[in-house]
Amino acid sequence: MERVKSAIKKPILRLGSKLSTKHQDDMIVTPFAQLLASLKNVRKNFVELTHIPPERAKRSSQHNSAQAASPILNKMTTTAVVAAATATDDNTLTQAISTLEELDWCLEQLETMQTHKSVSDLASLKFKRMLNKELSHFAENNKTSAQISDYLYSTYTDKKEPDVDLSQAISSSRGLPSDELNTVTTSKNIDTSMSSPTLMGNIIGIQTTTTALTTQSFIPELGVETQHVEELRILLNRVNDWGLDTFRIEELSGQRPLTAITYRIFQERLLLRTYAIEPHTLISYLLTLEDHYQQVPYHNKAHGADVCQSMHVLLNASALDGVFTELEIMSAIFASAVHDVDHPGVTNQFLINTKSDLAIMYNDESVLENHHLAVAFKLLQVDERNIFSHLSAKQIKTLRKMVIDMVLATDMSKHMQLLADLKTMVESKKVTGNNIIMLESYDDRIQVLQNMIHCADLSNPTKPLDIYIKWTDRIMEEFWRQGDKERALGLEISPMCDRRVASVEKHQVGFIEFIVHPLWETWADLVYPDASSILETLEQNRDWYQARLSSPSSSSTSGNLENSSSNTNISSSHQQDTIQPVTSTALSASPMSSDVLTSTSSNSTIINTNSAGDQLIPSSLSPSSSTTSTSRISSTTTATAVGTSSGNSGNGEFQMTVTPATS
């Protein structure tokens, strides 16, 4: 009976006895299993060649001891053994024992690895746990910090791993009184009926009246009709510059920033000539696309234009010169232009919670991102707007797949997976001592493009401070409007959506520290030195918000911003929706404790980036003046830093090479 209970407690699948026969090696056909078998054979031969005594050649698991945390930590715990070996044996034996310990640790990690998970899945899970730990510390400050932590974790992780759960940590375990939680106890009936009996046969949001130009139509020089041609031309001449003022372009273009910027980019890259795109067709599509961006505070046509222009600049990185084909470049520009079309100004989770038609149509999976794609491609089905009419069937198939993969990557819940994929790519090359990253397969190429559009989508904090502040004003207003809707519906108010308890400055500091900086730091390492100045601006903006947290004159304000002395206009060709800048600060008068964001203990498993072998940017680029500039996710444990401080990592430069592909 005891044996039966034991079997129930440990659900282990035991393979048949045939695998333990002399034909075991011949039966192993999968690469991962072959790798394990090869390493075990290497270990066996190593022990025999180095004549390590049998008692010291046994693996730790054979002694029923705890699993070693890492080669470094294992060495620390076996100091006495190594010391004894040094005293009685020669240096060769001591080094052999040390090497064997490292090999055993590698085998232990591989043997306990869940075989259904990819390498990037393992990295993603680790990053989630690290983020969970850091946000748990961050949430201990006060209710506002807990709300920010909840928002960051719930928004930027997919939460598919049941053993990583921050929600309990920042609500129940924090011991917050029930009246401090953003929960409305009353409830109202939510209309869950379909808006149309033919919903599944139609794409919601497609307008019947759209803008179209004909072959006889006058083609404006800058793609849009404006009375400010000269001033707009001067601004568009800076389309290759990081930090282009999209808001000013919006004003000068007659509220057509997306059309003006995207049309200029297509001209700049000679895409009209390369793919035989008629100017009137492109302008017709862009004007119609712009009309389908809703009049919401943040996710509007100005945001689409900003992400499109940011993507264009990132594609110009010298490290990426000649890497991507013209078709891939056009796909990336197109994806960034359409990535938020018809965004309603609420989150995926809000649509799921309210049982919206879109959530039902897309089965709660990347609801808005799927909808953006559907609208974007549906608009191409009219001949007057089909900018890809001269592409071959193969090119159309390739473009559509790439655009879908890139737009789906803008789902913020995929952040950790994207970061893990990119960081794994970069670190793997560092460990092997190879500074060349080959992008020969589609998976590798689309991985870089997905991270690129994700960086562009999270680029607001990397822009000049005045532009960054305007974007912050807009996103906070959009959050608060969603919170107002949730309050009216009797729903729990989403994190960062309650205008009554908002702390804009603290939110931005946490947003940069835990989400934006780790991503951009890794990207900067990939394209070094192209993004160094971007990273520097990001850190300066973070420090500016951090300083406002410390300012005794700062006061928290939220709610109606109509009385602000200045305003930010959000408008379209139909109507104008005005919001004002946000000036709210932390509820707490004291600055955020520095030990929340940086490690102060030499024994801490999370260490300062500048002291780790796995640093993602050269030390010379890391600002030494700011003690809070460390990124926790970009840092890793002392254990995982083993082998990453190879000789070639001094300059941090990676050369991107790829086998040319035809478009």
Side-chain angles (χ1 to χ4, degrees), residues 532-565:
S532 300
S533 61
I534 296 177
L535 197 61
E536 182 178 350
T537 301
L538 172 64
E539 290 164 351
Q540 290 172 350
N541 289 343
R542 185 267 328 279
D543 293 344
W544 184 84
Y545 272 108
Q546 179 69 56
R548 285 180 64 83
L549 278 173
S550 309
S551 174
S553 61
S554 299
S555 59
S556 178
T557 55
S558 59
N560 195 333
L561 302 174
E562 294 296 327
N563 297 325
S564 179
S565 59

Side-chain angles (χ1 to χ4, degrees), residues 48-86:
E48 292 178 355
L49 290 171
T50 55
H51 305 292
I52 297 177
E55 64 274 9
R56 293 179 185 170
K58 292 181 180 179
R59 293 183 57 185
S60 58
S61 57
Q62 293 175 298
H63 291 288
N64 296 321
S65 60
Q67 177 181 343
S70 72
I72 290 180
L73 297 181
N74 189 46
K75 290 177 187 177
M76 294 170 61
T77 58
T78 59
T79 302
V81 175
V82 176
T86 304

Side-chain angles (χ1 to χ4, degrees), residues 597-601 604-615 622-623 626-632 634-636:
L597 300 177
T598 55
S599 176
T600 56
S601 170
S604 173
T605 56
I606 304 296
I607 60 177
N608 187 294
T609 321
N610 295 328
S611 63
D614 65 335
Q615 173 154 319
S622 299
S626 172
T627 58
T628 60
S629 63
T630 355
S631 171
R632 299 298 232 149
S634 60
S635 301
T636 141

Side-chain angles (χ1 to χ4, degrees), residues 45-202:
N45 293 338
F46 180 78
V47 171
E48 292 178 355
L49 290 171
T50 55
H51 305 292
I52 297 177
E55 64 274 9
R56 293 179 185 170
K58 292 181 180 179
R59 293 183 57 185
S60 58
S61 57
Q62 293 175 298
H63 291 288
N64 296 321
S65 60
Q67 177 181 343
S70 72
I72 290 180
L73 297 181
N74 189 46
K75 290 177 187 177
M76 294 170 61
T77 58
T78 59
T79 302
V81 175
V82 176
T86 304
T88 57
D89 303 322
D90 57 18
N91 291 334
T92 301
L93 180 58
T94 303
Q95 189 174 12
I97 293 174
S98 177
T99 303
L100 186 64
E101 288 175 352
E102 293 194 25
L103 180 59
D104 284 345
W105 178 81
C106 293
L107 281 168
E108 192 78 27
Q109 300 304 304
L110 291 172
E111 289 171 346
T112 57
M113 184 182 294
Q114 293 176 281
T115 54
H116 69 281
K117 292 186 178 297
S118 67
V119 174
S120 64
D121 287 335
L122 296 173
S124 176
L125 178 57
K126 177 175 182 177
F127 285 2
K128 289 177 192 176
R129 286 172 173 161
M130 293 170 67
L131 181 64
N132 179 32
K133 178 180 178 181
E134 293 308 309
L135 291 181
S136 295
H137 290 307
F138 184 69
E140 290 175 347
N141 287 353
N142 50 39
K143 177 188 174 182
T144 304
S145 298
Q147 184 188 62
I148 294 170
S149 297
D150 191 8
Y151 163 76
L152 293 176
Y153 193 84
S154 62
T155 303
Y156 295 97
T157 64
D158 55 18
K159 297 175 292 184
K160 290 183 178 179
E161 295 294 340
D163 55 342
V164 180
D165 186 8
L166 185 70
S167 59
Q168 297 297 322
I170 65 173
S171 55
S172 303
S173 65
R174 293 285 169 252
L176 295 177
S178 58
D179 60 347
E180 286 193 1
L181 298 176
N182 295 326
T183 305
V184 181
T185 55
T186 60
S187 61
K188 298 181 181 180
N189 292 329
I190 301 174
D191 183 11
T192 60
S193 62
M194 295 285 193
S195 60
S196 168
T198 59
L199 169 68
M200 302 309 290
N202 296 287

